[in-house]
Amino acid sequence: MELPKIVLLGPPGAGKGTQGGLIAEYFGIEHITTGGALRINRELETEQGTPGSFIDRGELVPDAIVNEIVEVEIGKVEGFVLDGYPRNKEQAEYLSTITEISNIMYLDVAEEELIKRLSGRRVCSECGENYHIEFHPPRLDGECDLCGNKLIQRSDDEAGTILNRLKVFSEHTKPVLEYYNNREGFVRIEGRNNPDDVWEDIRNILEMGDGK
Ligand code: AMP
């Protein structure tokens, strides 16, 4: 059986990281997250500037940098779930020239809920595990349940930056939804529910095979 090649779309805070991890584990495919790759390379000097300088303003990192990361990562594996890419129409068009996508899943969550999720989010400074001060607190205050390291707030989860990221989503990533809307394998998932229920919906759809 061919391994799935999945695009996971959604605004910041929709749960792409959590669901992307679950999908990857369940189907034995690679979880490719452009946000994660860019955070690791935040100080990388490029002609357009460092990735970190864009991330901290809540802006998109230039396509040339992101496309290169995705092409290299996709080239290494058979199946994957792409989390956080494509983020604009140009990236979607580029993606179509390097691979064929089997499923496009849009995790839909209302803006009000996203602000609550993002402003309370904390992440482990070492392993990247996600928490929320109210909805999913760690067992010990400020400490990761998995590895015991310190929890931090992502620099782009601060109030002003959150609003800019949501604006960037509306302006640049919504057109990607339109781009994929009528394609076979496109499906909208209600992302407001708790993560276990969202995962069940996603798994059911993917197990049906054709994204319908
Ligand atoms: P995320 O972890 O997916 O929320 O991404 C964090 C930040 O990384 C975004 O706000 C952007 O600055 C940058 N980023 C992630 N993916 C992309 C992408 N596909 N294109 C451009 N910038 C991206």
Side-chain angles (χ1 to χ4, degrees):
M1 195 190 85
E2 244 182 72
L3 291 174
K5 296 181 174 171
I6 303 164
V7 161
L8 192 55
L9 297 170
K16 300 188 296 295
T18 304
Q19 300 300 332
L22 291 166
I23 295 171
E25 195 183 333
Y26 189 80
F27 290 97
I29 54 178
E30 196 68 21
H31 182 194
I32 301 175
T33 149
T34 47
L38 291 165
R39 276 189 290 280
I40 291 171
N41 291 295
R42 50 174 293 124
E43 305 304 337
L44 186 79
E45 295 290 348
T46 76
E47 273 175 34
Q48 295 99 331
T50 63
S53 59
F54 296 94
I55 292 172
D56 290 346
R57 291 194 298 265
E59 287 169 12
L60 292 183
V61 173
D63 292 345
I65 302 173
V66 188
N67 288 344
E68 162 96 21
I69 292 175
V70 170
E71 185 164 1
V72 169
E73 292 306 313
I74 280 182
K76 294 182 196 162
V77 294
E78 295 279 312
F80 55 80
V81 51
L82 260 178
D83 154 3
Y85 180 97
R87 275 243 209 337
N88 61 26
K89 204 162 157 235
E90 291 73 23
Q91 293 179 6
E93 280 162 356
Y94 184 77
L95 182 64
S96 74
T97 67
I98 56 175
T99 190
E100 206 169 312
I101 297 298
S102 54
N103 305 80
I104 304 120
M105 318 201 89
Y106 168 42
L107 270 181
D108 194 6
V109 178
E111 194 159 305
E112 214 184 87
E113 170 73 13
L114 295 171
I115 294 174
K116 271 195 250 163
R117 289 187 185 183
L118 292 167
S119 53
R121 175 159 73 177
R122 298 292 179 273
V123 295
C124 175
S125 52
E126 280 304 311
C127 74
E129 183 71 3
N130 272 303
Y131 297 86
H132 189 281
I133 49 173
E134 194 182 331
F135 311 138
H136 175 40
R139 279 195 296 270
L140 293 176
D141 209 20
E143 235 180 65
C144 179
D145 291 353
L146 303 184
C147 67
N149 282 292
K150 196 170 153 234
L151 302 187
I152 53 166
Q153 184 171 34
R154 266 171 53 170
S155 58
D156 57 347
D157 279 346
E158 279 153 26
T161 316
I162 289 175
L163 294 180
N164 201 33
R165 289 163 69 204
L166 293 172
K167 187 165 149 249
V168 166
F169 176 79
S170 287
E171 277 173 20
H172 298 278
T173 313
K174 285 227 171 117
V176 176
L177 299 177
E178 282 151 35
Y179 175 88
Y180 284 130
N181 197 21
N182 293 318
R183 261 205 46 174
E184 206 184 319
F186 178 87
V187 66
R188 176 194 167 277
I189 312 269
E190 176 53 64
R192 183 192 52 204
N193 305 331
N194 78 55
D196 292 344
D197 293 342
V198 175
W199 166 232
E200 203 176 314
D201 288 348
I202 291 180
R203 200 186 59 218
N204 285 338
I205 289 164
L206 290 174
E207 281 182 338
M208 272 192 273
D210 63 0
K212 291 275 157 59

